[in-house]
């Protein structure tokens, strides 16, 4: 592809970006795109023979700048974004980037004003609203702010709001605008935004990771009564096998005392080097050497079996966390370890 970057289409730039990022990072992004877009980008990638180094750098830089611009827009609106980008890139470049971002998104994200308000202010406004309305608003807030509000709600409301967040998908644009207008009037500010698919398990997981342990337990127990399968899915998403690297060495050693050696060797089959190192460094030289041999002797194994073994270990970690024998890092006061 010999075209100048200025003459490239958005799809062609996306193709070069994914080539630049590499397979692992690109896969994480592309799987979130619509099927039609994936097909277009895949076609372009397949037809690119070579990309110049400076072309890669220029497109990567543009991607970074546009993401910064989008973040600034969501945080403080057009004037805020323009001010920060002008200081970093110059006025002309800032305008060019903002034009591209606004053209791509067409509108800004709903509840931008609410995102700038303090948690106590929002709590006073929405605490008496229907749980569905509260859930909708929390979906659009920063996870830490949503966590503060969720923690402050009455216990009998917390689980119901959490359930509605986890099971929410597309929401009527008209409903979103009506609720946003009411909030805007009460918070008295200005900024318009875009409509997106919101809610889902990951949204409530992000929020629960920011609340204290008591609130988390109250919500998950309430969810278990409402929908046991959903509750288990949420709990499973809050700590995955790869998160073992976030545990301190003493906690890892405590976990290892509960894990069967055969289960551990299967769980480590094909895992990241970082996770394997965290396990090996918390064993004696003799035990780690034996474990490495066990992993080699396993030969090819089914991914399903590996994931099953990993999930069993995650279950042990969650059990030890619940009994207070180890501590999983969370947001808010629960993240403080003394």
């Amino acid at each position: 592809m010999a075209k100048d970057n200025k003459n490239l289409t958005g799809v062609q730039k996306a193709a070069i970006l994914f080539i630049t990022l590499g397979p692992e990072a690109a896969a994480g992004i592309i799987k979130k795109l619509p099927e039609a877009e994936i097909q277009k980008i895949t076609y372009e990638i397949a037809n690119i023979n070579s990309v110049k180094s400076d072309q890669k750098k220029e497109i990567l830089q543009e991607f970074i700048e546009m993401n910064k611009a989008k973040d600034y827009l969501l945080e403080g609106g057009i004037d805020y974004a323009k001010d920060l980008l002008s200081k970093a890139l110059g006025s002309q470049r800032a305008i060019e980037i903002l034009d591209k971002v606004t053209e791509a998104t067409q509108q800004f994200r709903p509840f931008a004003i609410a995102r700038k308000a303090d948690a106590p202010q929002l709590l006073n406004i929405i605490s008496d609203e229907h749980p569905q309305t509260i859930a909708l608003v929390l979906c659009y807030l920063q996870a830490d702010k949503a966590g503060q509000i969720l923690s402050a709600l009455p216990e009998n409301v917390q689980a119901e709001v959490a359930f509605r967040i986890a099971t929410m998908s597309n929401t009527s644009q008209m409903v979103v605008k009506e609720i946003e207008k009411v909030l805007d009037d009460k918070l008295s500010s200005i900024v318009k935004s875009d409509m997106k698919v919101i809610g889902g398990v990951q949204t409530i997981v992000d929020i629960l990771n920011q609340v204290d342990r008591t609130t988390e337990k109250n919500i998950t127990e309430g969810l278990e009564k409402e929908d046991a399968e959903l509750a288990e899915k949420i709990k499973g998403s809050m700590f995955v096998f790869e998160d073992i690297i976030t545990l301190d060495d003493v906690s890892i050693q405590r976990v290892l005392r509960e894990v069967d050696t055969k289960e551990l060797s299967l769980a480590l089959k094909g895992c990241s080097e970082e996770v394997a190192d965290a396990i090996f460094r918390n064993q004696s030289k003799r035990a780690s050497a034996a474990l490495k041999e066990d992993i080699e002797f396993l030969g090819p194994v089914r991914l399903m079996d590996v994931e099953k073994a990993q999930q069993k270990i995650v279950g042990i970690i969650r059990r030890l966390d619940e009994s207070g024998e180890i501590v999983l890092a969370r947001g808010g006061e629960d993240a403080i370890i003394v």
Side-chain angles (χ1 to χ4, degrees):
M1 182 178 289
K3 286 186 180 180
D4 187 292
N5 282 352
K6 292 180 181 178
N7 298 320
L8 294 176
T9 66
V11 173
Q12 289 170 331
K13 286 185 178 182
I16 294 174
L17 175 66
F18 290 147
I19 291 171
T20 304
L21 292 175
E24 191 173 339
I29 299 173
I30 203 167
K31 67 183 180 181
K32 298 178 181 179
L33 299 175
E35 185 64 33
E37 295 300 318
I38 294 175
Q39 290 176 5
K40 292 177 184 177
I41 294 170
T42 303
Y43 175 81
E44 290 296 337
I45 292 174
N47 283 278
I48 293 175
N49 296 319
S50 62
V51 184
K52 294 179 181 178
S53 178
D54 57 346
Q55 194 175 40
K56 285 183 179 180
K57 288 180 181 178
E58 190 176 327
I59 288 175
L60 183 59
Q61 184 60 35
E62 183 177 343
F63 173 72
I64 293 169
E65 289 172 354
M66 288 186 72
N67 270 281
K68 282 184 179 178
K70 186 177 179 182
D71 287 343
Y72 293 157
L73 283 169
L74 295 179
E75 286 174 24
I78 188 76
D79 293 332
Y80 176 77
K82 186 177 178 181
D83 182 48
L84 290 183
L85 289 171
S86 295
K87 290 176 182 177
L89 308 172
S91 299
Q92 186 58 40
R93 183 59 179 159
I95 293 171
E96 290 175 6
I97 291 294
L98 284 172
D99 284 345
K100 289 179 181 178
V101 173
T102 52
E103 183 182 347
T105 59
Q106 295 181 353
Q107 310 174 48
F108 306 128
R109 188 176 182 176
F111 300 100
I113 297 112
R115 289 171 63 83
K116 290 188 288 183
D118 293 334
Q121 293 174 320
L122 285 171
L123 178 65
N124 288 334
I125 292 173
I126 68 173
S127 59
D128 293 328
E129 296 291 337
H130 189 278
Q132 183 69 18
T133 301
I134 298 174
L136 177 65
V137 175
L138 295 190
C139 280
Y140 281 104
L141 299 182
Q142 302 91 328
D144 59 339
K145 188 178 293 182
Q148 291 176 49
I149 294 172
L150 191 60
S151 298
L153 291 172
E155 287 190 2
N156 63 322
V157 178
Q158 290 177 344
E160 188 173 356
V161 170
F163 175 77
R164 291 173 183 273
I165 292 173
T167 55
M168 192 180 297
S169 55
N170 291 334
T171 304
S172 164
Q173 187 175 5
M174 186 179 295
V175 172
V176 173
K177 284 185 176 180
E178 286 177 1
I179 295 173
E180 182 185 18
K181 186 178 184 306
V182 173
L183 275 181
D184 284 359
D185 291 341
K186 292 181 178 179
L187 293 170
S188 60
S189 236
I190 306 174
V191 174
K192 295 181 181 177
S193 356
D194 74 324
M195 166 70 188
K196 277 188 169 184
V197 174
I198 59 167
V201 170
Q202 191 53 53
T203 300
I204 191 60
V205 166
D206 290 340
I207 294 174
L208 289 178
N209 280 334
Q210 300 295 328
V211 305
D212 59 86
R213 195 179 304 274
T214 302
T215 301
E216 177 199 310
K217 187 177 180 183
N218 176 59
I219 289 172
T220 52
E221 286 178 352
L223 285 172
E224 283 173 349
K225 297 174 185 175
E226 187 77 36
D227 189 327
E229 187 177 342
L230 176 63
E232 192 57 32
K233 190 175 181 181
I234 290 172
K235 287 164 69 177
S237 298
M238 292 185 69
F239 189 97
V240 295
F241 187 72
E242 294 290 321
D243 290 336
I244 284 175
I245 60 174
T246 65
L247 297 176
D248 60 81
D249 288 347
V250 174
S251 295
I252 293 176
Q253 290 162 24
R254 177 66 188 90
V255 171
L256 290 178
R257 292 204 296 271
E258 297 282 325
V259 179
D260 178 79
T261 305
K262 289 182 180 179
E263 207 81 57
L264 183 59
S265 59
L266 186 57
L268 292 179
K269 186 74 174 177
C271 75
S272 71
E273 207 170 279
E274 200 173 3
V275 172
D277 288 343
I279 299 296
F280 294 143
R281 75 164 181 263
N282 282 288
Q283 294 181 308
S284 66
K285 289 183 179 179
R286 188 173 181 178
S288 63
L291 180 59
K292 289 174 184 177
E293 280 187 11
D294 289 341
I295 295 171
E296 287 180 5
F297 282 137
L298 280 175
V301 294
R302 293 186 303 175
L303 178 61
M304 182 176 67
D305 293 332
V306 173
E307 290 177 343
K308 190 176 179 181
Q310 291 178 350
Q311 196 55 41
K312 282 185 179 178
I313 295 174
V314 169
I316 291 171
I317 292 171
R318 290 215 317 254
R319 174 168 56 77
L320 292 174
D321 174 53
E322 288 169 2
S323 66
E325 294 182 64
I326 63 173
V327 178
L328 302 184
R330 288 175 171 78
E333 294 180 355
D334 219 34
I336 303 171
I337 301 174
V338 294

